[in-house]
Amino acid sequence: AVVSTQSKQWYQRRVHGEFGQFQIKRGVPLVNLKLKETHPSSSSMSDPRIKQIKIKTGVLKRVGKEKLSYRKEADQQKVKIEKMKADGKDEHDIRKMGEVLQETLMMIPDCHRRLVAAHGELTTMLETEADLNADGECEEFIAAEAQLKEGEEQMKVE
């Protein structure tokens, strides 16, 4: 078969990584590329119940962080308002900061409600899918149980 000069140049550029979507290490023939081996525990990750546990654990973690960040932000705003009052700042600015503080404080009960709901869902899921953790070594179960304990602590914070 006759190969055109243009085809040879294209192949050389492809092999040597001059096309962005075909970047290949220099000097590595296309034939010797190996597929990445899978981790033995990745087969258990394909179980949709494990995926749901990971998702619900992530939701609980995110909502807990969100609640704590709103609490922290509200505390910072209170300090800022007190400082503005002490410095004799404009009453309008102080009132606007008070409105911002009220909006932040209104978010905390919503986050708490979502935190309680996420905690309940994860607890229920762990109880119904306890057979997945028969040996007690399932990483996702261990992480979920640790997050449940942390979520309980976050629910105590008002």
Side-chain angles (χ1 to χ4, degrees):
V2 177
V3 179
S4 70
T5 307
Q6 205 173 19
S7 294
K8 284 182 180 177
Q9 289 172 346
W10 180 84
Y11 180 75
Q12 287 174 344
R13 279 183 276 172
R14 179 177 176 199
V15 169
H16 295 296
E18 293 179 21
F19 289 112
Q21 69 237 33
F22 296 109
Q23 284 190 350
I24 299 171
K25 290 182 181 177
R26 291 179 187 253
V28 177
L30 292 173
V31 181
N32 289 342
L33 295 177
K34 292 182 180 179
L35 294 175
K36 187 175 156 183
E37 294 182 26
T38 59
H39 192 270
S41 69
S42 66
S43 62
S44 67
M45 265 308 295
S46 63
D47 189 341
R49 298 176 298 174
I50 297 280
K51 287 182 181 180
Q52 283 300 310
I53 289 171
K54 283 188 78 171
I55 289 169
K56 290 187 186 305
T57 302
V59 168
L60 182 62
K61 185 175 186 176
R62 177 179 47 81
V63 174
K65 281 183 178 180
E66 196 174 324
K67 180 183 176 189
L68 293 178
S69 71
Y70 277 120
R71 178 80 260 153
K72 184 178 176 184
E73 183 180 340
D75 293 340
Q76 289 173 346
Q77 288 173 347
K78 284 178 184 176
V79 169
K80 193 171 184 179
I81 290 172
E82 291 302 318
K83 186 174 185 241
M84 289 174 76
K85 286 179 181 177
D87 291 346
K89 296 285 184 180
D90 185 37
E91 189 64 35
H92 176 71
D93 293 339
I94 295 172
R95 193 169 38 249
K96 285 295 176 186
M97 281 300 294
E99 291 173 11
V100 171
L101 174 63
Q102 290 305 314
E103 289 176 11
T104 303
L105 290 173
M106 285 191 305
M107 292 305 296
I108 295 172
D110 179 56
C111 288
H112 183 78
R113 179 188 52 76
R114 290 185 290 137
L115 181 67
V116 170
H119 186 275
E121 288 176 11
L122 184 58
T123 303
T124 303
M125 181 134 204
L126 290 181
E127 289 170 357
T128 57
E129 306 301 341
D131 61 313
L132 291 174
N133 194 29
D135 58 357
E137 295 180 6
C138 183
E139 293 176 19
E140 289 80 10
F141 260 79
I142 294 167
E145 289 169 347
Q147 191 60 48
L148 281 173
K149 289 177 185 169
E150 190 174 325
E152 289 168 4
E153 293 299 317
Q154 291 168 341
M155 283 191 280
K156 293 177 184 174
V157 176
E158 274 303 317

